[in-house]
Amino acid sequence: MKSGLSNIVVLTGAGISAESGIDTFRAADGLWEQHRIEDVATPEGFARDPDLVLRFYDMRRAALAHAEPNPAHHALARLDQEFSGELLIVTQNVDDLHERAGANRMLHMHGELKSALCLSCEMRSPWDAPMLDRPPCPVCAAPSLRPDIVWFGEMPYQMERIYAALREADLFVSIGTSGAVYPAAGFVREARDLRAQTLELNLERSEGSHWFDESRLGRAGDLVPQWVEAVLGG
Ligand code: BV8
């Protein structure tokens, strides 16, 4: 390992999937796919209008079929295969592009479009179909499925595992995120307080750029393969 690195944590956000044609959250008009976030990505919004929310996630789940992993996803999958140290890819994204590129050492802290959570039995099931027509839960058959997505005000998944990885990291890399949403936006401070080097790869300066030792501006499809090549001592 030429880079002398033994433990890397990578955080990815919507920007890494932008070149795959998946919209990021921070559209200019502040709307997200023509919706207010509080109407489609909160438990309150789901309680107020479940059909609106189910349609919103059905549309995004279906759109995955037309998206392909881009060079940034493939570069992180190469890092996963070839880096002999510890690696954890923490994605805020709910798409499956990291997996489809071949990444394994990863987790979805905000859930996944291709997973269903049953409000009756609380079991999760792999899911790739619409939910608007209230299909039966694969486990208990109740018509009580919701998107297995962490909405605003809900606790992100696997936080203990993430903080344990940050405590051990000697490098924390943030890719394609605006640093606007917590707790993910605070990971850079956790990492740097615990001795890790910190690197940001992003199209523009983020809300957290000043916390990073280094911030490289550009498209993930260009910056991530270059960075992985350097880490692997190519
Ligand atoms: C929590 C799933 C506590 C949804 C997401 C009041 C009430 C309740 C909570 C709060 C509150 N006030 C504050 C909070 C905390 C809140 C929060 O941070 N709010 C913000 C708005 C201030 N956080 C939460 O609610 C979290 N939970 O705090 O729980 C708790 C404690 C105890 C018990 C229970 C609960 C949960 C937040 C998770 C919400 N769900 N996603 C879905 O996807 O449908 S968040 C969603 O937005 C994303 O997952 C991501 O995390 C976040 C930010 O998006 P980004 O990924 O950064 O994307 P964005 O568009 O913003 O930026 C893209 C970047 O990429 C840009 O910088 C752009 O320049 C760059 N880019 C673009 N193209 C490219 C590129 N870079 C490189 N290459 C390119 N080609």
Side-chain angles (χ1 to χ4, degrees), residues 12-16 18-19 24-26 32 41 56-57 60 92-94 110 149-156 176-184 201-206 218-221:
T12 67
I16 200 169
E19 291 159 70
T24 63
F25 293 84
R26 296 287 167 295
W32 178 26
F56 177 67
Y57 284 96
R60 290 175 64 203
Q92 301 172 88
N93 300 337
V94 294
H110 290 159
I149 299 280
V150 177
W151 286 326
F152 287 92
E154 295 185 324
M155 179 58 87
T177 181
S178 59
V181 173
Y182 288 83
L201 308 178
N202 207 54
L203 191 64
E204 59 203 351
R205 283 185 65 76
S206 71
R219 288 153 48 99

